Amino acid sequence: MKPIIALTMGDAAGVGPEIIVKAMADTEIRDIATLFVIGDRRRLQQAIDIVASPLSINAIAGPSEVSDHKDTIDVLDIPAIPDDLAWGQLSATAGHGAFLFIEKAVELAMAGSIDAICTGPLNKEALHLGGHAYPGHTEMLAALAGVEEVSMMLTAPKMRVIHVTTHLGLIDAIAKIDGDRVYRTITRGNNLLVKAGIPRPRIAVAAINPHAGEGGLFGNGEEAEKIEPGVARAQADGLDVLGPLPADTLFYRAGRGDFDLVVAQYHDQGHIPVKVLGLKNGVNVTVGLPFVRTSVDHGTAFDIAGKNIVDHEPLLEAIRQAADLSPERNTDN
């Protein structure tokens, strides 16, 4: 059986509807997964008209009704978006709709009705205006799934990066880091890669300070206090882990293939190297949920929404990774 993957539409004022319509027209991607959309049917029809897609919409009541016909887009309709919603503009209504789409997807995933969720981009400000005060998708998914802690992993063709902290200011992030959190992050990343078929992942852990603190010359001993205990604990478990290593050379080494995974300590430390490699093939994976979740590694792109110029290749890559990580996909392999 192919894995069943739900695509959530994201913020309806952004490019989410367009990239979904374009991706659903790709016959090769539909060979590797059974896909359906959770979103507003009328908004998706507007996107079909904008991109001049030959596909038609088939309304379904749930995953059991997915037809898998390549000339249709099966949609579990959540009518949350007015017909006159402007493209490319901040909207509380669109923010609330994005939440409703995710909420339904998590409900289905927790019930075992689907194998993975692949999310379209949302706008954090619109989400907050819509009454949902989450920093982003990662935290919202964890809360809805009842999971206390998850990790964000970004992947690119030559690099995987998992984050100890994400949506925090730099000072707050450093305060949050400790040995236990570092250890849990290393372990979550290792377990995911083992599940994905890498029997003994090579993991490198980034330092906080320049030159990994240079023996205490830089910083206030954060490497020894906050990172080394977590690394030592993971090593005692038998994991192949090095660190803390200077971040400037570490990411270079990861890019040339020395490591299967880099553990970054804070948001920009991990995001910048991956995004320098290119947004087109970047994928966001939430690690630690009881189901698979992937996402494009770009935002709502309000400046080009509704204009039929957005590239849907990042969504195709996110779907591929969701299929590769899903239980049914791994069983088939």
Side-chain angles (χ1 to χ4, degrees), residues 23 66 88 125 130 150 158 161-162 178 204 232 300 331:
V66 176
E125 187 177 355
V150 295
K158 295 184 178 181
V161 181
I162 192 168
D178 61 29
T300 48
T331 298

Side-chain angles (χ1 to χ4, degrees), residues 192-241:
L192 180 71
L193 294 190
V194 169
K195 179 182 176 183
I198 303 174
R200 185 169 168 77
R202 301 163 299 164
I203 302 173
V205 181
I208 294 173
N209 293 299
H211 306 289
E214 198 75 78
L217 292 177
F218 305 124
N220 296 296
E222 287 86 358
E223 279 68 31
E225 175 189 348
K226 294 175 171 289
I227 302 176
E228 289 177 11
V231 172
R233 187 176 169 189
Q235 290 170 337
D237 287 348
L239 276 60
D240 186 357
V241 187

Side-chain angles (χ1 to χ4, degrees), residues 94-302:
H96 178 58
F99 171 81
L100 294 178
F101 308 150
I102 286 290
E103 183 180 48
K104 184 63 178 180
V106 172
E107 175 190 324
L108 294 174
M110 295 296 286
S113 300
I114 59 177
D115 302 305
I117 301 171
C118 186
T119 57
L122 57 74
N123 182 283
K124 296 178 180 64
E125 187 177 355
L127 184 69
H128 293 180
L129 289 173
H132 308 285
Y134 298 102
H137 259 131
T138 302
E139 296 82 0
M140 178 166 54
L141 286 158
L144 290 172
V147 176
E148 185 174 344
E149 184 179 86
V150 295
S151 297
M152 177 189 292
M153 178 186 291
L154 300 182
T155 71
K158 295 184 178 181
M159 191 179 299
R160 302 181 189 91
V161 181
I162 192 168
H163 296 69
V164 177
T165 65
T166 49
H167 296 119
L168 293 170
L170 184 55
I171 293 174
D172 293 334
I174 293 173
K176 192 83 170 178
I177 297 165
D178 61 29
D180 288 341
R181 194 177 184 96
V182 169
Y183 169 76
R184 293 193 301 270
T185 305
I186 294 170
T187 302
R188 273 193 290 269
N190 182 82
N191 292 344
L192 180 71
L193 294 190
V194 169
K195 179 182 176 183
I198 303 174
R200 185 169 168 77
R202 301 163 299 164
I203 302 173
V205 181
I208 294 173
N209 293 299
H211 306 289
E214 198 75 78
L217 292 177
F218 305 124
N220 296 296
E222 287 86 358
E223 279 68 31
E225 175 189 348
K226 294 175 171 289
I227 302 176
E228 289 177 11
V231 172
R233 187 176 169 189
Q235 290 170 337
D237 287 348
L239 276 60
D240 186 357
V241 187
L242 293 176
L245 301 175
D248 54 355
T249 53
L250 166 55
F251 284 104
Y252 166 75
R253 294 176 62 190
R256 73 182 184 188
D258 289 4
F259 306 110
D260 299 304
L261 179 66
V262 173
V263 178
Q265 300 301 326
Y266 53 90
H267 184 281
D268 282 10
Q269 185 183 61
H271 277 57
I272 290 172
V274 173
K275 293 192 176 184
V276 165
L277 292 175
L279 291 174
K280 186 170 184 178
N281 293 312
V283 175
N284 184 329
V285 182
T286 304
V287 186
L289 293 170
F291 49 84
V292 173
R293 179 262 174 165
T294 66
S295 176
V296 294
D297 189 28
H298 64 71
T300 48
F302 281 166

Side-chain angles (χ1 to χ4, degrees), residues 19-93:
I19 60 174
I20 286 176
V21 168
K22 291 181 177 182
M24 292 292 279
D26 187 295
T27 57
E28 291 185 5
I29 206 69
R30 300 189 71 167
D31 285 337
I32 69 171
T34 297
L35 305 173
F36 73 99
V37 180
I38 300 177
D40 186 289
R41 176 182 56 81
R42 295 174 303 174
R43 190 60 163 184
L44 207 62
Q45 182 60 57
Q46 291 178 4
I48 287 175
D49 296 338
I50 288 170
V51 307
S53 172
L55 304 184
S56 60
I57 289 177
N58 176 49
I60 61 172
S64 63
E65 297 183 5
V66 176
S67 65
D68 214 17
H69 294 157
K70 295 180 181 180
D71 58 350
T72 62
I73 302 175
D74 291 325
V75 181
L76 199 166
D77 185 30
I78 298 179
I81 307 301
D83 289 338
D84 61 352
L85 180 76
W87 294 94
Q89 294 185 18
L90 191 67
S91 164
T93 299

